[in-house]
Amino acid sequence: MIKQEEVYHIGRIGKAHGVKGEVSFMFDDDVFDRVDADYLILEVDGILVPFFMEEYRFRTDSTALVKFEDIDTQERARELTNCEVFFPRALADDDEEAINLTFLVGFDIIDAKTGTRVGTIAGIDDSTANILFEMENGMLIPANDDLITHIDKDNKTITTALPEGILDL
């Protein structure tokens, strides 16, 4: 069984496309293309299920048409509409420059000055130019590359040089 902590969110399935089982896939992270993945994980009725891709082609920078194995009709493709799409953390590329921010949800923030744990990232606020980590305790931490000193994917931690006084807010 696939566990939620083993995957991270990369998009959502849209409408069926055509009559041969293709679906539109709106994605935030093209990791499935960068690492040449064979499958994506869809959340179907609350369960994470792997779906193997026969083929895909990009329509835009954030949309692809995907044909999954054993999804051969428009009716079967419609069943996948609005399913959330995830990708296995273990298959994600090791290039820190290519890490998508959604990959970091669930990581702990460590204060570089004190070495103490600040909290766990619950979400990403990218609604403005200044992207923020939304912490489980409600705190907002800047997700600025200049402040992040180290990302440890194995221990799921991000060491950050926090701005003076941010923990007092």
Side-chain angles (χ1 to χ4, degrees):
M1 184 156 141
I2 301 169
K3 297 178 182 160
Q4 192 70 40
E5 57 271 7
E6 297 172 342
V7 298
Y8 70 102
H9 187 265
I10 63 167
R12 176 187 298 256
I13 298 294
K15 295 180 180 180
H17 181 80
V19 295
K20 296 186 179 179
E22 276 188 320
V23 293
S24 62
F25 168 38
M26 290 84 58
F27 57 89
D28 301 320
D29 187 343
D30 66 351
V31 65
F32 64 96
D33 186 54
R34 291 192 316 265
V35 300
D36 198 28
D38 294 331
Y39 65 95
L40 297 173
I41 298 170
L42 277 58
E43 185 174 25
V44 180
D45 297 328
I47 300 170
L48 297 173
V49 181
F51 280 79
F52 288 85
M53 297 181 287
E54 283 183 14
E55 62 184 6
Y56 62 87
R57 64 186 188 276
F58 291 97
R59 291 189 76 182
T60 68
D61 289 344
S62 61
T63 306
L65 295 177
V66 179
K67 172 68 177 77
F68 291 111
E69 288 181 8
D70 301 323
I71 306 294
D72 296 321
T73 64
Q74 188 177 37
E75 291 76 28
R76 292 283 319 272
R78 274 195 208 120
E79 294 172 8
L80 302 178
T81 299
N82 291 325
C83 283
E84 298 296 332
V85 181
F86 298 85
F87 195 78
R89 289 182 187 276
L91 295 181
D93 40 352
D94 288 328
D95 182 6
E96 285 189 17
E97 295 297 318
I99 289 178
N100 185 284
L101 288 173
T102 57
F103 178 85
L104 301 176
V105 172
F107 277 52
D108 287 334
I109 295 286
I110 306 296
D111 183 359
K113 241 182 245 177
T114 64
T116 59
R117 180 183 169 277
V118 175
T120 303
I121 300 171
I124 306 294
D125 179 352
D126 59 0
S127 60
T128 66
N130 296 316
I131 299 171
L132 301 168
F133 292 128
E134 297 172 344
M135 307 304 289
E136 287 180 339
N137 60 10
M139 186 181 300
L140 297 173
I141 303 288
N144 186 305
D145 286 341
D146 295 336
L147 299 176
I148 296 173
T149 60
H150 182 69
I151 298 174
D152 183 343
K153 290 183 3 179
D154 294 331
N155 293 312
K156 294 179 70 174
T157 61
I158 302 171
T159 305
T160 305
L162 297 173
E164 192 70 37
I166 197 163
L167 298 178
D168 299 328
L169 297 176

